[in-house]
Amino acid sequence: MKSHYRVVVIGGGVVGTSVLYHLAKMGWSDVCLIERSVLTAGSSWHAAGGIHALNADPNIANLQAYTIDLLSEIEKESGQNIGLHMTGGLTMAGTPDRWEWLQSAYRTFQSIGIEDCRLVSVEEAVELNPIMSGEGLLGGMWADREGYVDTTGVVHAYAGAAKKNGAEVIEHNRVLELNQTLEGWEVVTEKGTISCEHVVNAAGLWAKQVGRMAGIELPVSPLNHHYLISDTIPALEELDFEVPMTVDLEGFTYMRQDQKGLLLGIYEVDHQHWMMDGAPWEYGFELQQEDPDRIEKELIMGFERYPALQDVGVKTWVNGAFTFSPDGNPLVGPVPGKRGYWSACAVMAGFLQGGGVGKSLAEWMINGEPEADVYGMDVARYGVWAENKQYIKETTGQFYTRRFVMTYPNEQLPAGRPLKMAPAYSDMTEAGCKWGQSWDMEVPLYFAEKGFEETPSLKRSNAFDIVAKECKAVREGVGLLDISGFSRFEVSGAGAEEWLNTIFATKLPKAGRSRLAVALGEDGRLKGDLTLFNWGDGTWWIMGSYYLRAWHMRWFDDHMGANVQVRDLGDEMCGFSLSGPKSRAVIEKLTDGAVGDLPFMGCGSFDIGLLRCKVGRLSVTGELGYEINCRMGDHIALRKALLAAGADEGIVEIGFNAMLSLRLEKSYGIWSAEFTQGYTPGMTAMDRWIDFDKEGFVGRDAALAERDGNGPAQVQVTLEVDADDADASGYEPVWDNGKKVGFVTSGGFGHTLGKSYAMALVDAGSASEGSALSVHIVGKERAAKVIAPSPYDPAGKAMRA
């Protein structure tokens, strides 16, 4: 062990060894891994080791596919046998909704390039897995690239390949302290102190303690997970092939062959947390006592699905802990506010996702950005509010319980809610507001009659007509929307303008004006579609998506300039927007200032009734509109004043579901759909907002290269879809005469025009206006055509009125 390394990775499981391997493979060989016991002594040794390429998040599915490809490579590179059994896999559905969902998911996988899967009948599924009962099943999906590995072999293969590339593995050496220094970190261990530039927390069951050593409270918790291994099954002895990995979604079980027996794993509804503050340091190769009574219902379903289990005994019970995050995805990336401290935690499916996590984290550390869009596992998707122990307990338990439970796109899950509420929350709830969640904030979805409950559905729900009425109110009168769920950052200081010119590719607005502001990464891909306000008094505001608050703040901090201060106003400011042709009439009743004279995209400070507010004249609905920002304490009074002033104008409170419908009719993109850090300005038409004559902004060289090249292979288009009772939502494949040419980024129903719309990324050759295409929606192919952007009011006269 040396006294200095460039990187110290803490934790000798599959994730830690993968990170070590990728760092060394990419050229950072001055790295070491420290393990308090021996490699695999945690969750890795007792994991079931299943691998499959399918995941509901397409970006994570791609990283899983990378991991599967990598496994055979590290086996060759290390010389360590990993026991790879590529058996193929089945995912079975037993209810009409689930079968419909599986058909839809199959098309999603086609969209993201997973071609080696297909839908199968129950009869074919039973032929593929002859020890499975088909009773009660409706259909399934087969995937070629599913199977399992020897978990211990995989960990040692990663470690062995890392050592061949110059990395060092240090076992039997517990980390005692972490101390931040000017140069990086001081790692105090049982065998001495190490200085390093970077620390990676890949501590698994001990991630909580290793986070606390650095003053970090990671939102993770271990939960116990059962599987059993049966005695030899005669029916398996008679087969000349291994039965495939099989998931019975309605039965809450997964199954794979283990020698001539079966491994049956269970995600039970009655979940059980274990050691929420982290495992004991001496823990490693122990297990918890099996608890078959707690999982009795799921066990019975498993034994009914695989009747051969009823005739043999259980050879081994495994009840061991795995670490989960609130949404079940990993927590990866640089921890905000702790420079040089990296998270690689809560990788619940480590043997499936570990390779992708290691690759992305190594790219992030070495190149400044991962190749893939990894927001779905970025540690910055949570804020300090997620450090609360009760929140962690509720949300991790909810995820575990719902691991195989179907979740609908319009379903609102209850765990950890309500957390943060705008001041007028109670009054709005009394008025019929139904709420969704954005980060920690409750946001309005729509307003309904008392007693109304939305039915979860893959298709148009029973809230369809409610949203239609709200859209009509905006187009014809005036709608009031709570916009507390927007992020707000204040930028000030003598260096503010210089910094903003660097961080944004857009020309800055003049005093009293606002502008859409495009932020790029160093590689020229998108980093934000924000709105920049120049209040004219030396201060600026950046507004954007509320759930990206920590993500954007980390980006700002990493690129901070001299003599500039950026302050997150998300806990101080909130507000409402007015949208519709009568919105000016409403706001003018509340002020004697010149708010009605504000030009389109103008902004300023005004008295609105008794309140001093910051107002911008803009709207994402495509109508005349105003965004009115106030202090948190003024939120209730502002709502009452606006409702009173709008009473004669027929003002209607609306939610974000209406706004999303209205913005589709204007072809306005949103982040995480049309805009992500995986796309470029040219692909998304955001290049029209870039000031290419401006020098020195982040990503300029890459943006120029795209502009001056042959153009992007895929571009954003608007589709009019011949839909029936369901609309596109995202990642549905787009076809041109049977050839896949792209995928939907978002979709929905345009209530004003009475048509179903989708926005999509398609091959440039299929993007011409009028092109006849087709889209799969909830598994069914529907005709679609490319139309000109902004089918509603294409000239933009309404919002400029």
Side-chain angles (χ1 to χ4, degrees), residues 339-604:
R339 187 175 296 277
Y341 188 103
W342 302 77
S343 175
C345 304
V347 190
M348 177 260 307
F351 293 89
L352 176 59
Q353 299 172 347
V357 167
K359 174 181 182 287
S360 297
L361 194 65
E363 290 169 342
W364 215 332
M365 297 173 77
I366 295 170
N367 302 325
E369 286 290 315
E371 180 183 21
D373 176 8
V374 296
Y375 181 77
M377 61 183 188
D378 193 327
V379 68
R381 72 185 186 277
Y382 292 106
V384 294
W385 45 271
E387 297 175 359
N388 178 275
K389 192 170 184 177
Q390 183 64 26
Y391 174 86
I392 296 168
K393 185 175 184 179
E394 288 185 21
T395 53
T396 55
Q398 176 178 264
F399 171 80
Y400 186 98
T401 293
R402 299 183 62 88
R403 182 80 170 90
F404 288 163
V405 173
M406 184 169 169
T407 299
Y408 295 87
N410 66 325
E411 189 173 8
Q412 295 296 318
L413 301 181
R417 297 179 58 194
L419 194 54
K420 184 179 179 182
M421 295 165 279
Y425 174 90
S426 296
D427 290 348
M428 294 170 68
T429 301
E430 182 64 24
C433 187
K434 297 295 182 179
W435 299 92
Q437 186 181 40
S438 175
W439 220 41
D440 63 339
M441 170 69 79
E442 295 293 314
V443 294
L445 299 178
Y446 53 84
F447 287 75
E449 296 291 331
K450 287 186 178 180
F452 175 83
E453 293 295 334
E454 185 172 4
T455 303
S457 175
L458 292 172
K459 300 179 180 179
R460 294 172 187 163
S461 82
N462 56 329
F464 184 82
D465 291 339
I466 295 172
V467 176
K469 291 177 181 178
E470 292 184 6
C471 291
K472 180 179 175 68
V474 172
R475 292 286 188 233
E476 297 179 1
V478 57
L480 179 68
L481 174 67
D482 171 28
I483 57 170
S484 301
F486 288 176
S487 68
R488 297 163 175 85
F489 301 93
E490 181 187 75
V491 184
S492 60
E497 186 167 344
E498 180 181 356
W499 179 75
L500 289 167
N501 261 318
T502 300
I503 208 76
F504 289 117
T506 309
K507 185 177 181 180
L508 302 187
K510 296 179 180 179
R513 303 302 292 265
S514 61
R515 176 167 289 168
L516 179 67
V518 180
L520 304 177
E522 283 86 351
D523 58 6
R525 294 184 297 174
L526 297 176
K527 208 66 184 180
D529 65 321
L530 300 143
T531 305
L532 183 61
F533 294 80
N534 183 349
W535 298 112
D537 59 358
T539 63
W540 309 68
W541 273 18
I542 302 169
M543 290 183 66
S545 301
Y546 186 86
Y547 66 93
L548 296 174
R549 277 175 62 188
W551 189 72
H552 273 135
M553 195 66 192
R554 184 181 65 194
W555 177 254
F556 298 154
D557 284 339
D558 287 346
H559 297 78
M560 191 54 62
N563 302 313
V564 58
Q565 294 82 44
V566 180
R567 190 161 62 95
D568 184 345
L569 302 176
D571 294 326
E572 301 176 31
M573 303 296 294
C574 55
F576 288 93
S577 73
L578 292 170
S579 298
K582 296 182 180 180
S583 57
R584 180 185 286 114
V586 173
I587 200 169
E588 283 186 326
K589 291 179 182 180
L590 293 170
T591 181
D592 62 359
V595 67
D597 296 332
L598 272 179
F600 178 61
M601 299 302 286
C603 64

Side-chain angles (χ1 to χ4, degrees), residues 51 68 71-72 75 81-86 147-150 242:
I51 55 172
I68 293 172
L71 289 171
S72 57
E75 183 174 55
N81 188 319
I82 65 168
L84 177 61
H85 294 248
M86 197 63 81
Y148 64 95
V149 294
D150 169 18
E242 279 194 284

